[in-house]
Amino acid sequence: MAHDRMYDDGDPLLARLRELALALPEAHEKEAWGRPTFRAGKIFAIYGGGVKVAPGEHEPHERAVLVKPEPGEVNALDEDPRFFVPAYYGPFGWRGLDLDGDDVDWTEVAELLDASFRQVASRSAVKELDAR
C-alpha cells in the first residue's frame, strides 16, 4: 500500500538531520510510511510522524526525529520534557525529540543518531565509525 509523502523535502530541519544521519558509515535513506527513514541494515532514525500518546493525550510531532536510545538512557530521556514516547515505537524503546524548537542541540541529535545507529549497524560499520 503506497503512502502519500508526509513531509516537505525542502524542510531545513530534515536537511540538517540528513546531513548528520547520512554521515554515518553505510547509512542510507529510504522513504517508508510516507516518511524519511535512515537505515544501516535496519532503521535507526525516522523523521516526523511522531505522535505522543499518553493518558488523555494524542499530540502530533510532525518535525521530530525518532531514535532508539541505548537501553540505559531511556529513563533519563523519559525524565526530560523535550522527549516523548512515540506511538507504535515507544514500547520498543524508541523516543522522539521535536526539532521545531529554537533550543535544539544538534550535537545532542548527532549523539542520539550515533547511539541508535550502533544498535543496528554491522560490526564493520561501527568499527569504521570508531576509527574516525
Side-chain angles (χ1 to χ4, degrees):
M1 178 175 157
H3 288 270
D4 290 334
R5 180 175 280 184
M6 301 172 73
Y7 63 97
D8 174 2
D9 208 40
D11 182 340
L13 296 177
L14 174 56
R16 187 84 187 266
L17 185 65
R18 271 187 180 130
E19 184 183 323
L20 295 172
L22 297 177
L24 296 164
E26 300 176 14
H28 65 279
E29 181 178 340
K30 181 178 180 183
E31 187 175 302
W33 313 289
R35 305 253 174 227
T37 65
F38 299 93
R39 302 165 185 243
K42 294 181 179 177
I43 297 172
F44 67 91
I46 303 168
Y47 179 71
V51 177
K52 177 181 180 179
V53 177
E57 294 185 51
H58 187 86
E59 179 183 343
H61 293 263
E62 291 303 319
R63 297 173 80 196
V65 61
L66 307 185
V67 293
K68 188 170 185 182
E70 295 171 6
E73 295 293 314
V74 173
N75 287 342
L77 296 183
D78 287 348
E79 299 288 318
D80 187 327
R82 297 173 305 146
F83 289 86
F84 63 94
V85 178
Y88 312 112
Y89 303 96
F92 301 100
W94 288 70
R95 293 299 179 263
L97 172 65
D98 257 320
L99 299 176
D100 243 346
D102 295 331
D103 59 347
V104 174
D105 179 346
W106 287 96
T107 301
E108 180 181 39
V109 172
E111 290 168 359
L112 291 164
L113 290 170
D114 180 286
S116 193
F117 169 85
R118 289 174 182 276
Q119 293 183 64
V120 302
S122 67
R123 282 197 299 258
S124 61
V126 171
K127 191 173 180 180
E128 181 182 334
L129 182 59
D130 287 341
R132 290 182 177 178

